[in-house]
Amino acid sequence: MDPGLGFLTGPCTQDREKLKGIYQDWVYAMNTYAYFDAIGDGDVNPELLEQQMDLPRNSALLISAVDNLSTIPYWIAADHANKRILCVFRGSVTKTDWLLDFVAQTRVIAPGVGAHDGMTRVADNILSEVADTILAFVSTNPGYALHFGGHSLGAGVCALASYLVKEGRLSGAKLSSLAGS
């Protein structure tokens, strides 16, 4: 049997593991809404984040609840079980988020590559904010992969952050050594 045709006979073990990972990423994205809703305009709460995301204690590396036209709420945590650094962006909730969504001018980020200007600005700003935290973590925890997630506006920022890191563009250049294939 051709292993490339696994979809015809059902998912193989590797496919099931990927599906579990995709499902977990979706859970993180959805629970991110609940976390930021729970803290409201209050202080960030690493213990609550770890509880809502079902992460071990002291996994949270950085949390930002700032929400404006330059950044959106996000969190970063160490997923020690899978050797990943999770960077998850909240999706559209506030009027500011919706404004950011709908003002969709194109920004050229590489020759022949255009992207949503607002989402690119947010991704670049967040990467600039988190780079030192992530690099400090991997300096003492080698072998961890950087993993982005998000829903709605957060998914757009997630995709652009991934691209900026992978291609070493803008603030992503500082983290490009962590880019997977």
Side-chain angles (χ1 to χ4, degrees):
M1 179 173 78
D2 178 1
L5 300 177
F7 66 93
L8 295 176
T9 58
C12 66
T13 301
Q14 184 179 3
D15 292 337
R16 280 193 294 274
E17 290 305 310
K18 283 184 183 177
L19 289 173
K20 280 179 17 184
I22 290 168
Y23 174 75
Q24 183 59 56
D25 294 345
W26 178 81
V27 170
Y28 288 143
M30 294 300 100
N31 288 348
T32 296
Y33 285 103
Y35 169 74
F36 284 108
D37 188 47
I39 66 167
D41 292 332
D43 292 330
V44 296
N45 182 332
E47 293 81 18
L48 179 61
L49 176 79
E50 292 159 352
Q51 179 184 10
Q52 287 189 324
M53 302 305 157
D54 196 26
L55 293 168
R57 262 183 83 59
N58 301 315
S59 295
L61 302 175
L62 183 63
I63 303 169
S64 174
V66 177
D67 191 11
N68 58 44
L69 290 175
S70 297
T71 191
I72 59 174
Y74 65 88
W75 57 268
I76 299 175
D79 174 6
H80 297 292
N82 296 298
K83 294 197 76 151
R84 302 186 308 174
I85 303 164
L86 304 170
C87 185
V88 181
F89 309 103
R90 193 205 63 204
S92 302
V93 173
T94 66
K95 290 177 186 173
T96 303
D97 297 335
W98 292 107
L99 182 61
L100 187 59
D101 279 331
F102 293 131
V103 180
Q105 296 175 330
T106 300
R107 176 177 178 181
V108 176
I109 56 176
V113 179
H116 186 287
D117 181 61
M119 290 182 197
T120 302
R121 183 178 57 251
V122 168
D124 186 46
N125 288 339
I126 291 173
L127 288 174
S128 177
E129 292 171 14
V130 304
D132 290 339
T133 299
I134 292 170
L135 291 172
F137 176 82
V138 297
S139 73
T140 58
N141 298 277
Y144 277 65
L146 182 56
H147 190 84
F148 295 99
H151 177 261
S152 185
L153 172 61
V157 172
C158 162
L160 285 162
S162 298
Y163 176 82
L164 294 175
V165 169
K166 176 80 172 155
E167 297 300 317
R169 302 230 176 245
L170 303 173
S171 293
K174 196 168 184 180
L175 297 170
S176 63
S177 65
L178 301 176
S181 55

